[in-house]
Amino acid sequence: MSNRENAIHYVKNNYINFESTLVELVKIPSISTSPIHQKDIRSAAEYIQTLLLKIGIQETKILETSGHPVVYGSYVTQQKDAPTVLIYGHYDVQPVDPLELWTTEPFQPVIKNDRMFGRGASDMKGQIVASLSAVEAVIQTGKSPVNFKFIIEGEEEIGSPHLHEVLETQAVLFKNDVILNPDAGMISPSIPTIVYGLRGLAYFELKIFGPDHDLHSGLFGGVVHNPAIVLSELISGMHDKDGVITLPGFYDEVLSLSIDEREKLSRLPITEEDIRKQTGVKELWGERGYSHIERTGSRPTLDVNGLLSGFIGEGSKTVIPAWAMAKISMRLVPNQDPEHVHQQLIQYLTENMPSTVSWDLKKFAGGIASMANTSHPGVIALEKALEKEWGTKPIYKREGGSIPVVAEMQKHLGSDSILTGFGLPEDNIHSPNEKLHLPTWRKGILALVHFFYEFAGENENK
Ligand code: BES
Ligand code: MN
């Protein structure tokens, strides 16, 4: 049997072990945004480090940052002149609220109907374990065709605010020929996907201050401007009737789509009906003049992610709230700059804020959009690998989600990332009842084994 066949057999004989590794990892509540989970973050990093050692990675380290730690690993094969694949992952997860909407415990993974339920099962602990399982198979069954490096961070879900510290100071550690980033999903279980573009992100918290305490709305309604109303008006002014964002200069830097790309995107097998099913909405919405596929991947958007003001308990209470708060974020496309968007938001607020209130704007971490070079040898190898496993060529698509480190790694390491993943649109990532479709995940492991051999240019029979 060839090395590749041996590795494929190894995977097929070890699904149960890979699954239990994933169960253990999902059990760790490594929520990066909340300081309460500091210890869990550390346990997840240590769990990954132990796992790297267990699968045969020769050198591992936990690299400290001023935020959460980064797990590093390096494996050098005996094969001469082998290329190096750097595998990127994040072991942190999103918060679980609203907890009452979960039908199982978010950190007690349960397998039902071929799916594993739990926070992070799909985004992206499942993808980390898929990658490490493929690596394990390749190095445990023969001479690995490639060298491996690992960079597995704990702050992706909060915009990777400290990863640049290790990228800047330890760039040599991460030298590679390609970065494999399995943090982007696929469009359906039968259609493997290569993601060639991601959106960037700018994220803000806006607070409007009215009276210095909550007021009786009977005594003061009519003389005090209600900050919840001020905030609502500001928010509703951020789009016009055509779904176009009104911040001054917002579209100035937006790179428009070429006719050729629009034509290719229009052929993707994703319908409006698919999106209605995934989301449960009656009708889609968005910027006039662009298709649903263009609007999620290639056009910038603005959303309110959270809204808080006044009395939100049961029943009624007649107050004019003292303040109102909104979390507002924009998904950005090439060539928009999050700092310019920040300035545009400030200008919009300055021009439209009534003089009856005061306000404060906080900026959170974000990042720029990224586009992949689709003729990179890594992309070509991945295309072949996915086709081997699925029996059909992958589709190429832009994703609306953000992975700001893709651009950061391009900047600091000069290396390209290839983006794929084995999560599905139905996985409920960032939502209650996150899940992972195990049959697709298992195929993903096999495809990654093929990828390593294809990238090294090693043929089937060696
Ligand atoms: N894995 C996602 C991003 C993603 C999802 C890309 C699906 C492609 C397809 C990632 O973990 C994520 O959610 N990122 C955050 C980044 C933000 C907090 C800076 C996002 O997009 O909201
Ligand atoms: Mn992710």
Side-chain angles (χ1 to χ4, degrees):
M1 272 203 296
S2 69
N3 285 341
R4 188 194 299 224
E5 283 166 337
N6 279 326
I8 295 288
H9 272 273
Y10 185 96
V11 171
K12 291 183 174 166
N13 290 329
N14 280 280
Y15 285 138
I16 299 285
N17 298 333
F18 301 152
E19 241 171 68
S20 33
T21 299
L22 178 55
V23 165
E24 292 310 310
L25 185 56
V26 174
K27 278 187 188 168
I28 307 172
S30 45
I31 302 172
S32 46
T33 191
S34 137
I36 300 169
H37 290 282
Q38 197 90 18
K39 268 215 184 97
D40 303 310
I41 281 282
R42 174 93 22 203
S43 317
E46 284 165 1
Y47 184 86
I48 301 276
Q49 185 185 28
T50 310
L51 191 58
L52 288 176
L53 289 168
K54 199 187 103 196
I55 66 171
I57 302 307
Q58 298 136 339
E59 191 197 350
T60 69
K61 280 189 223 189
I62 291 199
L63 305 173
E64 300 299 337
T65 71
S66 33
H68 301 326
V70 175
V71 187
Y72 168 79
S74 166
Y75 174 87
V76 180
T77 178
Q78 294 158 0
Q79 204 86 286
K80 279 218 173 63
D81 302 324
T84 300
V85 178
L86 172 65
I87 296 178
Y88 166 86
H90 65 84
Y91 62 78
D92 64 321
V93 299
Q94 287 272 335
V96 296
D97 53 283
L99 190 56
E100 66 280 8
L101 294 186
W102 284 78
T103 52
T104 62
E105 289 295 316
F107 298 110
Q108 287 302 327
V110 169
I111 296 175
K112 255 192 325 203
N113 303 331
D114 271 343
R115 286 164 176 88
M116 187 186 294
F117 288 79
R119 172 58 87 231
S122 175
D123 185 9
M124 70 166 298
K125 288 174 172 175
Q127 316 307 325
I128 294 179
V129 175
S131 311
L132 298 191
S133 302
V135 172
E136 173 179 342
V138 161
I139 64 188
Q140 294 299 328
T141 54
K143 269 191 195 165
S144 170
V146 295
N147 302 312
F148 291 107
K149 287 186 180 179
F150 300 89
I151 179 165
I152 303 184
E153 63 151 327
E155 296 190 323
E156 195 275 344
E157 298 291 5
I158 49 172
S160 307
H162 303 101
L163 190 66
H164 70 96
E165 294 172 14
V166 301
L167 294 178
E168 275 159 16
T169 59
Q170 322 217 37
V172 283
L173 277 187
F174 303 112
K175 230 171 121 357
N176 67 77
D177 295 292
V178 74
I179 302 174
L180 172 68
N181 187 329
D183 195 20
M186 47 197 290
I187 68 165
S188 89
S190 56
I191 307 177
T193 306
I194 294 178
V195 170
Y196 69 92
L198 290 165
R199 286 196 288 192
L201 183 74
Y203 202 113
F204 307 94
E205 182 180 297
L206 172 62
K207 222 166 168 180
I208 308 289
F209 302 95
D212 59 13
H213 57 285
D214 284 5
L215 301 174
H216 189 294
S217 63
L219 300 187
F220 296 99
V223 288
V224 170
H225 207 170
N226 185 321
I229 293 177
V230 172
L231 180 62
S232 313
E233 285 176 354
L234 288 165
I235 289 171
S236 63
M238 289 177 188
H239 287 99
D240 71 11
K241 295 228 158 22
D242 291 327
V244 174
I245 295 158
T246 59
L247 306 189
F250 187 75
Y251 293 94
D252 288 357
E253 292 167 332
V254 167
L255 199 65
S256 49
L257 282 156
S258 69
I259 296 172
D260 179 49
E261 191 177 0
R262 290 191 88 168
E263 201 275 317
K264 282 192 180 124
L265 291 175
S266 73
R267 282 191 270 131
L268 288 180
I270 307 171
T271 63
E272 294 206 8
E273 176 65 17
D274 291 335
I275 302 184
R276 273 202 297 274
K277 281 210 185 104
Q278 285 157 21
T279 56
V281 297
K282 288 195 296 190
E283 213 179 293
L284 301 189
W285 170 89
E287 186 185 5
R288 184 189 280 187
Y290 294 91
S291 73
H292 58 291
I293 293 176
E294 292 167 346
R295 297 197 312 264
T296 51
S298 339
R299 294 293 298 167
T301 49
L302 180 150
D303 274 289
V304 173
N305 305 107
L307 208 47
L308 188 63
S309 184
F311 176 67
I312 53 158
E314 246 178 85
S316 62
K317 182 185 181 201
T318 46
V319 286
I320 296 175
W323 54 268
M325 184 275 280
K327 309 261 186 189
I328 299 173
S329 68
M330 296 79 164
R331 296 285 171 172
L332 311 178
V333 298
N335 295 322
Q336 284 181 294
D337 178 334
E339 189 41 43
H340 295 178
V341 170
H342 184 195
Q343 294 311 320
Q344 291 156 6
L345 179 60
I346 291 175
Q347 192 185 334
Y348 169 86
L349 293 172
T350 311
E351 286 170 2
N352 293 285
M353 192 69 64
S355 52
T356 48
V357 295
S358 47
W359 56 286
D360 179 55
L361 184 71
K362 255 202 220 125
K363 179 181 186 235
F364 293 106
I368 60 170
S370 50
M371 291 292 281
N373 159 14
T374 47
S375 52
H376 191 284
V379 175
I380 296 167
L382 183 64
E383 174 171 318
K384 284 194 191 140
L386 292 171
E387 186 176 2
K388 275 224 155 68
E389 192 43 45
W390 265 271
T392 167
K393 275 204 192 323
I395 57 129
Y396 284 79
K397 114 170 257 279
R398 290 214 214 175
E399 265 298 348
S402 308
I403 314 177
V405 295
V406 171
E408 288 268 309
M409 293 193 290
Q410 173 66 53
K411 177 171 138 200
H412 293 291
L413 310 176
S415 11
D416 291 319
S417 294
I418 55 171
L419 291 144
T420 189
F422 312 108
L424 299 172
E426 52 152 73
D427 283 355
N428 295 331
I429 65 173
H430 297 203
S431 305
N433 306 313
E434 179 174 349
K435 60 186 190 293
L436 176 71
H437 187 233
L438 294 169
T440 303
W441 178 74
R442 292 183 197 119
K443 280 185 159 189
I445 303 175
L446 296 171
L448 290 179
V449 168
H450 285 300
F451 168 68
F452 302 140
Y453 285 98
E454 293 294 335
F455 186 60
E458 206 166 287
N459 67 35
E460 296 278 349
N461 312 315
K462 192 160 169 187

